[in-house]
């Protein structure tokens, strides 16, 4: 059989056939004019080689199997172990790729030192988006949950107020009108003040504010009053929040100040404990500033933020050097209490 015919029958390239010949797997004869002529034995050997290579068996092991120096099934068992390790490695690689893609991170050297890790926080301490962020961005799903919480609280308070008012006002129609007005007013007020963001531990009192660190820059929302916050809330429900949020490229951030403050918190105990928290102040080239009081930072976002700030912002004011703690995933309170 000629080389061209062999290529068609086995669907192997001429280069691959020559390679197997060079490895000594086949020894075609030459006819009178010098052209290779493959025997039936060569064809059967090449079919076997193609099958074994399709199982990801190395060329050396293929030669050993064909020569009878290696058992086929033993080779499969060894390859299965290697393949399982490769699959696990590929899964980890895919997980990392998905995480970096979803987070929309800038390409900075510090990324190699950060292990992709997502924590399963309890309800109320979960991230709302996959982007690296200070605070938790208000999303449509979370806005709906806030509406349910505000509706329930407003309904209970309005009902209690109306019952009390019934002592003074007798006509039921008046009480119904008062109930509706009180309910709507309280509901709007709760939404506008982002009441659901305030916890007794003061761990998330950020008034729907957030800063997302994206590949090209940061996008943030700054609370500027009840009317503006209500407008932002509605924009989130209509998927138009980006029209209200501000975006600055990293080169437009002139300075970031990190302030470390000591707070005293009681967590179900008679004695308060010391907790260090961070405030962030962003300065931009157009003169704008954004001061973010005590934002919640979840998962490993602190490490990403520290690495991004160091790589992208030319001036960082950080008298306590907490940027070091952020980059290395250290607890800020422990770091400050053990700081020399």
């Amino acid at each position: 059989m000629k080389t061209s015919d062999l290529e068609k029958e086995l669907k192997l390239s001429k280069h691959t056939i020559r390679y197997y010949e060079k490895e000594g797997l086949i020894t075609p004869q030459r006819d009178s004019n010098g052209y290779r002529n493959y025997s039936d034995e060569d064809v059967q050997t090449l079919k076997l080689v193609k099958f074994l290579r399709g199982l990801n068996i190395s060329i050396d092991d293929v030669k050993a199997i064909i020569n009878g120096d290696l058992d086929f099934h033993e080779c499969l068992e060894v390859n299965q172990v290697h393949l399982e390790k490769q699959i696990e490695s590929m899964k980890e690689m895919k997980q990392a790729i998905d995480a970096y893609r979803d987070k929309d991170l800038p390409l900075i050297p510090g990324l190699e030192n950060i292990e992709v890790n997502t924590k399963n926080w309890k309800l109320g301490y979960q991230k709302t988006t996959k982007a690296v962020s200070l605070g938790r961005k208000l999303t449509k799903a979370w806005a709906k949950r806030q509406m349910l919480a505000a509706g329930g609280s407003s309904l209970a308070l309005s009902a209690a107020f109306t019952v009390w008012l019934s002592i003074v006002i007798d006509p039921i129609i008046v009480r119904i009108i008062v109930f509706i007005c009180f309910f709507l007013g309280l509901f709007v007020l709760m939404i506008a003040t982002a009441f659901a963001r305030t916890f007794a531990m003061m761990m998330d009192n950020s008034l729907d504010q957030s800063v997302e660190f994206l590949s090209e820059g940061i996008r943030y929302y700054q609370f500027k009053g009840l009317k503006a916050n209500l407008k932002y809330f509605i924009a989130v429900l209509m998927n138009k929040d980006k029209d209200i949020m501000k975006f600055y490229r990293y080169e437009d951030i002139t300075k970031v100040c990190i302030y470390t403050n000591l707070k005293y918190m009681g967590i179900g105990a008679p004695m308060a404990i010391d907790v260090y928290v961070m405030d962030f102040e962003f300065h931009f080239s157009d003169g704008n500033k954004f001061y973010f009081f005590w934002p919640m930072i979840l998962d490993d976002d602190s490490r990403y933020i520290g690495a991004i700030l160091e790589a992208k912002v030319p001036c960082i004011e950080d008298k306590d050097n907490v940027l070091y703690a952020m980059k290395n995933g250290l607890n800020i309170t422990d770091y400050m209490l053990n700081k020399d």
Side-chain angles (χ1 to χ4, degrees):
M1 183 180 291
K2 303 300 181 184
T3 302
S4 57
D5 298 327
L6 191 61
E7 288 182 83
K8 293 177 182 178
E9 181 172 337
L10 299 184
K11 294 182 174 54
L12 293 173
S13 67
K14 183 185 295 185
H15 172 77
T16 301
I17 296 172
R18 295 284 192 273
Y19 171 70
Y20 291 151
E21 180 183 341
K22 182 181 176 181
E23 291 294 324
L25 289 165
I26 55 175
T27 54
Q29 301 298 314
R30 300 270 184 168
D31 56 22
S32 58
N33 55 10
Y35 290 110
R36 289 177 175 79
N37 196 344
Y38 297 91
S39 65
D40 290 340
E41 184 180 352
D42 291 331
V43 174
Q44 296 306 315
T45 299
L46 285 175
K47 287 182 178 180
L48 186 58
V49 171
K50 181 181 177 182
F51 169 74
L52 294 173
R53 292 293 287 152
L55 296 176
N56 200 35
I57 297 176
S58 69
I59 193 67
D60 290 334
D61 286 345
V62 168
K63 287 192 287 185
I65 291 171
I66 291 177
N67 294 330
D69 298 326
L70 178 64
D71 182 75
F72 171 57
H73 292 284
E74 289 181 1
C75 181
L76 287 180
E77 290 178 3
V78 173
N79 270 30
Q80 185 178 30
V81 173
H82 290 317
L83 186 59
E84 288 174 352
K85 291 181 179 179
Q86 290 177 3
I87 291 173
E88 190 62 33
S89 177
M90 293 297 288
K91 287 181 179 178
E92 293 176 359
M93 185 182 299
K94 183 181 183 303
Q95 182 182 12
I97 291 173
D98 290 344
Y100 292 137
R101 183 199 61 201
D102 294 339
K103 290 178 185 294
D104 190 24
L105 293 168
L107 180 60
I108 55 175
L111 289 181
E112 65 175 344
N113 300 320
I114 303 176
E115 181 180 352
V116 176
N117 181 28
T118 301
K119 300 178 181 178
N120 294 319
W121 294 90
K122 294 181 180 179
L123 187 64
Y125 293 92
Q126 297 172 341
K127 286 176 63 65
T128 56
T129 67
K130 294 181 179 180
V132 171
S133 61
L134 292 172
R136 298 187 300 169
K137 182 182 180 298
L138 183 65
T139 60
K140 190 172 184 178
W142 193 23
K144 290 179 179 179
R145 289 199 296 271
Q146 286 195 21
M147 289 178 67
L148 288 174
S153 299
S154 300
L155 186 63
L157 291 173
S158 299
F161 177 74
T162 305
V163 170
W164 174 81
L165 197 63
S166 64
I167 302 174
V168 182
I169 301 177
D170 184 54
I172 189 171
I173 186 64
V174 176
R175 294 204 300 268
I176 292 174
I177 294 174
V178 170
F179 171 82
I180 294 173
C181 293
F182 191 82
F183 170 79
L184 291 176
L186 193 58
F187 177 80
V188 171
L189 182 63
M190 286 184 171
I191 293 299
T193 55
F195 82 105
R197 299 297 300 269
T198 305
F199 289 81
M201 290 171 54
M202 293 294 288
M203 286 298 293
D204 198 17
N205 185 23
S206 50
L207 298 171
D208 283 336
Q209 296 183 137
S210 64
V211 179
E212 291 186 307
F213 293 80
L214 308 173
S215 58
E216 299 298 327
I218 66 170
R219 180 179 290 116
Y220 73 90
Y221 169 69
Q222 182 176 11
F223 183 88
K224 291 186 176 180
L226 303 186
K227 183 178 179 180
N229 202 53
L230 185 60
K231 181 180 178 182
Y232 173 61
F233 191 92
I234 295 172
V236 169
L237 291 175
M238 298 177 64
N239 296 318
K240 294 184 178 180
D241 44 300
K242 291 182 181 179
D243 296 339
I244 295 179
M245 300 179 75
K246 288 186 175 294
F247 177 83
Y248 282 95
R249 302 181 69 85
Y250 288 114
E251 51 265 34
D252 295 325
I253 305 174
T254 57
K255 182 172 67 174
V256 173
C257 304
I258 306 176
Y259 305 105
T260 311
N261 303 302
L262 178 62
K263 303 289 182 181
Y264 300 95
M265 293 171 49
I267 310 178
M271 296 183 63
I273 61 173
D274 295 345
V275 174
Y276 281 90
V277 300
M278 295 178 292
D279 298 347
F280 293 81
E281 186 176 37
F282 294 82
H283 295 250
F284 306 105
S285 57
D286 60 4
N288 281 335
K289 292 192 298 184
F290 173 39
Y291 192 99
F292 202 168
F293 169 77
W294 193 356
M296 175 182 278
I297 308 177
L298 295 174
D299 291 351
D300 281 337
D301 283 9
S302 181
R303 299 189 67 182
Y304 288 110
I305 292 169
I308 292 171
L309 290 178
E310 184 179 63
K312 294 292 188 179
V313 179
C315 179
I316 297 178
E317 291 187 4
D318 177 22
K319 66 181 181 65
D320 292 313
N321 195 28
V322 293
L323 194 64
Y324 170 83
M326 293 177 65
K327 290 187 302 178
N328 290 278
L330 303 177
N331 180 276
I332 300 300
T333 299
D334 294 339
Y335 171 76
M336 291 297 295
L337 291 176
N338 296 295
K339 192 168 175 286
D340 293 334

